Amino acid sequence: MRRTVMMAVAVWLALGVAPGSAQTPIKIGFLSPISGAIAQAGKDMYSGCELYWRERGMQIAGRPLQVILEDTEGQPATAVSKLRKLIDSDHVDLLAGVILSNVAYALVPPIEAAGVPTIYPINSADDLTQRKRPKWLVRTGFSASGNMHPFGEYAAKVLKYRKVATIGLDYAFGWETVGGFHKAFEDSGGQIIQKIWVPLNIQDYAPYLAQVRPDADAVFVLALGRWSVLFNKQYAESGLRGRIPLIAGGTYSDEHVLAQLGDNAVGVVSAHHYSASLDTPANRKFRAAFEKAYSRTPSFYSENCYTGARVIEEAVRAVKGKVEDRAALMAALRRVEITDAPRGPVKIDAYGNPTQNIYIRRVE
């Protein structure tokens, strides 16, 4: 996989800067986990941006575009090292990418120190747009707890659950996702009767599933990538699938992993700001283009980065291509509003967080 991706990058860069071009290229540093536990999600991220920029002829506001892809391996230390390389050696004009919240938080200090305009089209770490808002960063994806506020209400008022046990990954994304669901669910009359946390290096969910209280009306799970695949298999093997309904954070049954879950995932209800099954003109067009280009169904990682690339283009055009004026570019990124993204309307609020639709989804 790594060899294929690096070959693709070489072609991409060759397309981005034509021989003899009089224009200085706009350089974007893109950080993504191309290897490791969430490599498929990282691949989907890259593909989403790549599709958008190729549709635009690898240029923005009349200037050629050069994209430098770096593999974070999903590790904070590796990500920081790659970030410094992009800033100090490649002298990028703008930074984008990142999935895991522990990585996202680790990158903020060097981003702020360098003053490089940055967007996170995927990462959902709450504090990035709450208590510790950076000056040089906006996110165009979602906030972990924010997506769960309507879902907690839905679980209590529509699904009529009264007692829910939660199982979450023991790191920032897990805490914040479960926390958002917890608050909204209990504010709506429900009760979280149990919280079970699992380490990122988990290889066996069985001991944790054995702890689930039998009086739970439902189990809420937060997982993604390989963790979704492992949990899905062992939830069925434990016998809980036939006795206690499963509800989930949106990443659990997202298209990046859905095909691997099989019939064991049928009936799972989740909430997220995108689904490939959205029946809108914008999403039908995006899905058809993505499937033609990559022979797979787009995930939210793909859509978020496709729309994130559009946000970048809109901001660069607003400053007439003068990305060297970093303050003006950052201000333009904060003002972008898109009415027809594949996921629906997206507007960046005063905190640098997107306001958008949240969809309730069921696997069928």
Side-chain angles (χ1 to χ4, degrees):
M1 182 182 297
R2 186 175 301 168
R3 184 179 301 113
T4 302
V5 169
M6 295 311 294
M7 289 173 64
V9 173
V11 173
W12 192 358
L13 297 183
L15 289 171
V17 185
S21 172
Q23 286 274 25
T24 302
I26 295 172
K27 290 185 178 182
I28 297 177
F30 196 86
L31 295 153
S32 185
I34 303 302
S35 59
I38 53 172
Q40 183 56 52
K43 181 180 178 181
D44 277 6
M45 284 177 64
Y46 178 85
S47 297
C49 288
E50 180 184 49
L51 176 63
Y52 186 86
W53 285 322
R54 282 184 171 174
E55 288 177 348
R56 298 305 183 274
M58 294 303 297
Q59 62 177 345
I60 302 178
R63 292 180 63 174
L65 179 64
Q66 180 178 351
V67 181
I68 303 168
L69 173 66
E70 293 291 346
D71 181 10
T72 67
E73 302 171 3
Q75 301 296 325
T78 302
V80 169
S81 176
K82 297 296 179 70
L83 176 76
R84 295 193 184 282
K85 180 256 186 187
L86 289 169
I87 294 172
D88 298 335
S89 299
D90 299 313
H91 305 293
V92 296
D93 300 298
L94 190 143
L95 292 160
V98 183
I99 295 182
L100 297 178
S101 292
N102 53 347
V103 174
Y105 282 129
L107 294 182
V108 170
I111 288 171
E112 291 292 278
V116 179
T118 303
I119 77 163
Y120 283 171
I122 297 296
N123 183 261
S124 62
D126 277 358
D127 265 353
L128 297 177
T129 51
Q130 288 184 5
R131 292 163 288 263
K132 301 175 182 178
R133 297 193 295 275
K135 176 182 178 180
W136 293 98
L137 170 68
V138 297
R139 64 146 152 255
T140 57
F142 68 112
S143 65
S145 65
N147 275 22
M148 293 296 100
H149 291 162
F151 193 43
E153 180 180 352
Y154 183 88
K157 295 184 176 181
V158 180
L159 298 179
K160 305 295 185 182
Y161 296 141
R162 290 294 171 262
K163 297 179 179 180
V164 169
T166 69
I167 302 177
L169 292 168
D170 194 10
Y171 81 118
F173 181 51
W175 309 329
E176 293 166 358
T177 302
V178 171
F181 179 84
H182 182 161
K183 175 169 173 52
F185 184 65
E186 294 201 338
D187 284 350
S188 300
Q191 180 185 4
I192 300 298
I193 61 172
Q194 188 176 23
K195 282 185 175 178
I196 299 171
W197 300 106
V198 299
L200 292 179
N201 64 354
I202 186 172
Q203 302 298 325
D204 184 6
Y205 272 97
Y208 301 94
L209 292 171
Q211 300 174 36
V212 173
R213 284 175 47 171
D215 59 333
D217 296 326
V219 169
F220 173 91
V221 65
L222 185 280
L224 67 154
R226 76 164 187 88
W227 298 287
S228 286
V229 176
L230 182 61
F231 181 92
N232 175 73
K233 177 176 181 290
Q234 294 194 284
Y235 196 76
E237 291 174 347
S238 71
L240 290 172
R241 180 173 180 265
R243 294 189 288 110
I244 304 179
L246 186 65
I247 57 178
T251 56
Y252 176 78
S253 54
D254 178 67
E255 281 82 1
H256 81 283
V257 73
L258 184 59
Q260 300 177 59
L261 302 185
D263 288 348
N264 285 336
V266 171
V268 173
V269 177
S270 63
H272 215 28
H273 58 285
Y274 178 72
S275 168
S277 65
L278 281 173
D279 191 16
T280 63
N283 191 52
R284 288 195 299 269
K285 180 180 178 181
F286 165 67
R287 179 170 178 166
F290 190 91
E291 290 178 346
K292 181 179 179 180
Y294 302 106
S295 300
R296 65 182 188 274
T297 303
S299 65
F300 100 89
Y301 296 103
S302 314
E303 192 282 338
N304 278 204
C305 287
Y306 183 86
T307 297
R310 181 175 172 184
V311 169
I312 291 173
E313 181 188 36
E314 297 281 351
V316 172
R317 290 177 63 184
V319 298
K320 297 180 171 51
K322 299 176 182 177
V323 296
E324 291 77 14
D325 187 342
R326 292 181 173 183
L329 177 58
M330 196 66 230
L333 285 168
R334 294 183 180 277
R335 291 193 300 267
V336 172
E337 180 175 0
I338 296 173
T339 60
D340 60 347
R343 77 183 87 157
V346 182
K347 180 180 181 180
I348 306 302
D349 69 14
Y351 299 91
N353 193 61
T355 299
Q356 59 196 343
N357 296 336
I358 306 299
Y359 303 98
I360 304 299
R361 315 173 312 169
R362 183 175 64 239
V363 179
E364 295 182 347

